[in-house]
Amino acid sequence: AVVSTQSTGVWCDTCEMSFSGERQLEAHTRSHIFCDFDDCSFEGNKETVKSHKKDEHAVTESIHVFSMDNPAVLNAWLKERRRNFPTSGNNELKRLRDREREMVCVSF
């Protein structure tokens, strides 16, 4: 972490936070984590690293990333994808389940 001294205390440049003394800054920097991307040495607190990943590595929380190098993971994903794919048969099953739900709700 890059640290600079301000007239009001010390500053963590990475997280853009100021602290009243070195002890507070040291406690803060112990919460720093490293970016887990290969060849990336960025470090900061959890939120700063999360923002860094989004800005620098185009990563968002909603993206599920898995390794295409792992055949077992890939095959499991493909199997689940095929099972849930909106075929005419799957669409009909969904309509039947929805009707059953509606009937149960109406009967109460």
Side-chain angles (χ1 to χ4, degrees):
V2 179
V3 177
S4 58
T5 305
Q6 305 281 322
S7 60
T8 58
V10 290
W11 178 260
C12 177
D13 286 338
T14 306
C15 301
E16 298 180 348
M17 297 174 72
S18 68
F19 300 90
S20 59
E22 289 292 329
R23 285 188 184 163
Q24 290 81 6
L25 177 65
E26 287 173 20
H28 163 75
T29 55
R30 282 195 294 273
S31 74
H32 279 192
I33 59 173
F34 286 92
C35 176
D36 54 2
F37 274 78
D38 291 339
D39 300 325
C40 183
S41 60
F42 184 85
E43 73 169 276
N45 64 24
K46 185 177 179 179
E47 288 302 312
T48 305
V49 172
K50 181 178 171 182
S51 177
H52 160 80
K53 286 180 177 181
K54 180 180 170 197
D55 296 342
E56 300 298 321
H57 303 295
V59 173
T60 64
E61 293 291 320
S62 62
I63 295 175
H64 177 73
V65 179
F66 62 91
S67 174
M68 295 291 245
D69 298 334
N70 186 335
V73 172
L74 179 58
N75 287 334
W77 180 84
L78 287 170
K79 183 179 177 182
E80 184 68 14
R81 177 73 177 128
R82 285 186 195 109
R83 188 176 72 77
N84 292 321
F85 196 79
T87 62
S88 59
N90 282 346
N91 289 339
E92 183 60 28
L93 287 172
K94 183 179 183 307
R95 278 192 289 277
L96 289 172
R97 282 192 299 260
D98 289 347
R99 274 193 221 129
E100 287 175 4
R101 259 188 239 120
E102 287 174 9
M103 292 174 74
V104 169
C105 290
V106 171
S107 65
F108 282 107

